[in-house]
Amino acid sequence: MTFVDASNAPVRYTGEIKLYGQEAFEGMRRAGRLAAECLDMLTEHVRPGVLTQEIDDLAREFVTERGGTPACIFYRGYRHTVCTSVNHVVCHGVPAKKALKEGDIVNIDVTVIVDGWHGDTSRMYSVGGVKRRAMRLMDVTYECLMKGIEAVKPGARLGDIGAVIQEHAERQRFSVVEAFCGHGLGRIFHDAPNILHFGRRGHGERLAPGMIFTIEPMINAGRKDVSLMADGWTAVTRDRTLSAQYEHSIGVTEEGCEIFTLSPVGRHTPHSDAPVI
């Protein structure tokens, strides 16, 4: 895989890893902030009795009123602003007229476009009080994300990111989903390289300043295997155990990396105040 100056590259997938400059980083900050603010807003609405379709409607209104565009609407035929993945849904859960229940855990994944730049992030939410095992799964998943981000620096390899995520998850007796991965980001929604959440240290492409991508580990309470539902989107754990996911968009800097999708009010882990039942 080769590197290319993003300013000279076509705005489409080419299989090359694009390296971006400061103007792009500024664009990613704006897009990432709006995506994070959308998830912040939804915190107060994730409660028993709320329909996942209502959450989607709130997100679409929030993003468009602030000048953004929901990236997922009509993307490969998808018709919603967010994905709502509840309990054993690993990712890409489709909003519907289905009410959240006390004790559910839900991942909400949103991608927005601001001035051509994509901000992509997801977060776990507790619906009322949750069981201790579910809380532990969410905590470990967030820790996996942050350990993966801590591994990002110039000269490190892509395999270093996956290795630290896999090692931490498996030490806690959870499993890492291998069927889905993070991805390059920028003016393109899904770009090179793929960011695996498992792997071996010292393997894969070297990281270079200017790379922009997501890290978004999906961690299962049971086995890593997933199945795709008939709608063509919803992925579930094959053994129907719980799954959790967190995601940030980041850019590699000369010193390490910058997270574009941090909550401006510190709501990165909104489940942490939820009661354990």
Side-chain angles (χ1 to χ4, degrees):
M1 191 169 289
T2 58
F3 293 89
V4 61
D5 183 343
S7 63
N8 297 323
V11 184
R12 58 179 173 81
Y13 183 87
T14 63
E16 300 167 309
I17 298 175
K18 297 178 177 65
L19 300 180
Y20 293 91
Q22 284 306 306
E23 182 180 350
F25 271 54
E26 180 55 38
M28 290 298 294
R29 291 182 192 114
R30 295 192 299 272
R33 183 182 179 93
L34 179 59
E37 289 174 338
C38 180
L39 294 186
D40 288 345
M41 176 275 296
L42 292 173
T43 302
E44 307 303 326
H45 298 278
V46 179
R47 57 181 184 269
V50 173
L51 305 180
T52 54
Q53 181 60 60
E54 292 180 275
I55 291 172
D56 188 65
D57 293 341
L58 287 164
R60 182 171 59 257
E61 181 180 1
F62 183 91
V63 171
T64 56
E65 283 185 347
R66 286 156 182 78
T69 301
C72 291
I73 293 181
F74 304 127
Y75 180 79
R76 297 183 179 177
Y78 196 72
R79 295 181 177 275
H80 301 273
T81 297
V82 300
C83 296
T84 51
S85 302
V86 183
N87 294 334
H88 67 281
V89 178
V90 174
C91 61
H92 304 157
V94 180
K97 293 181 179 179
K98 182 176 180 180
L100 297 173
K101 304 186 303 294
E102 180 82 17
D104 284 345
I105 62 173
V106 56
N107 175 272
I108 302 177
D109 189 342
V110 63
T111 305
V112 305
I113 305 172
V114 177
D115 299 328
W117 299 100
H118 289 75
D120 188 1
T121 185
S122 81
R123 196 182 298 174
M124 293 302 298
Y125 299 78
S126 301
V127 184
V130 300
K131 293 183 177 179
R132 189 173 302 277
R133 177 73 167 169
M135 183 69 74
R136 183 63 184 148
L137 174 64
M138 291 191 291
D139 286 340
V140 169
T141 304
Y142 181 74
E143 291 163 7
C144 284
L145 169 65
M146 298 313 295
K147 286 181 179 293
I149 290 173
E150 289 168 7
V152 175
K153 58 185 177 182
R157 292 187 179 271
L158 288 176
D160 300 340
I161 300 171
V164 296
I165 290 171
Q166 183 176 18
E167 290 164 6
H168 185 65
E170 293 179 352
R171 276 197 300 268
Q172 306 303 319
R173 300 189 176 183
F174 295 131
S175 62
V176 179
V177 173
E178 298 181 2
F180 299 97
C181 61
H183 51 88
L185 193 68
R187 291 196 176 276
I188 300 173
F189 194 167
H190 294 94
D191 207 353
N194 289 337
I195 308 298
L196 304 182
H197 304 119
F198 62 96
R200 296 171 59 190
R201 295 174 187 270
H203 286 68
E205 294 289 340
R206 289 194 182 276
L207 302 181
M211 292 176 66
I212 295 176
F213 51 83
T214 70
I215 301 178
E216 46 185 296
M218 287 147 271
I219 308 299
N220 292 349
R223 298 177 63 85
K224 67 183 180 181
D225 308 284
V226 304
S227 297
L228 188 65
M229 303 298 284
D231 62 14
W233 287 102
T234 306
V236 300
T237 56
R238 194 170 297 173
D239 58 11
R240 294 305 191 266
T241 54
L242 294 177
S243 186
Q245 180 187 21
Y246 278 91
E247 175 184 13
H248 275 313
S249 300
I250 68 170
V252 183
T253 67
E254 296 290 345
E255 297 78 27
C257 71
E258 177 179 349
I259 303 174
F260 300 123
T261 47
L262 287 173
S263 163
V265 294
R267 283 182 166 173
H268 313 308
T269 57
H271 70 269
S272 56
D273 293 330
V276 177
I277 57 176

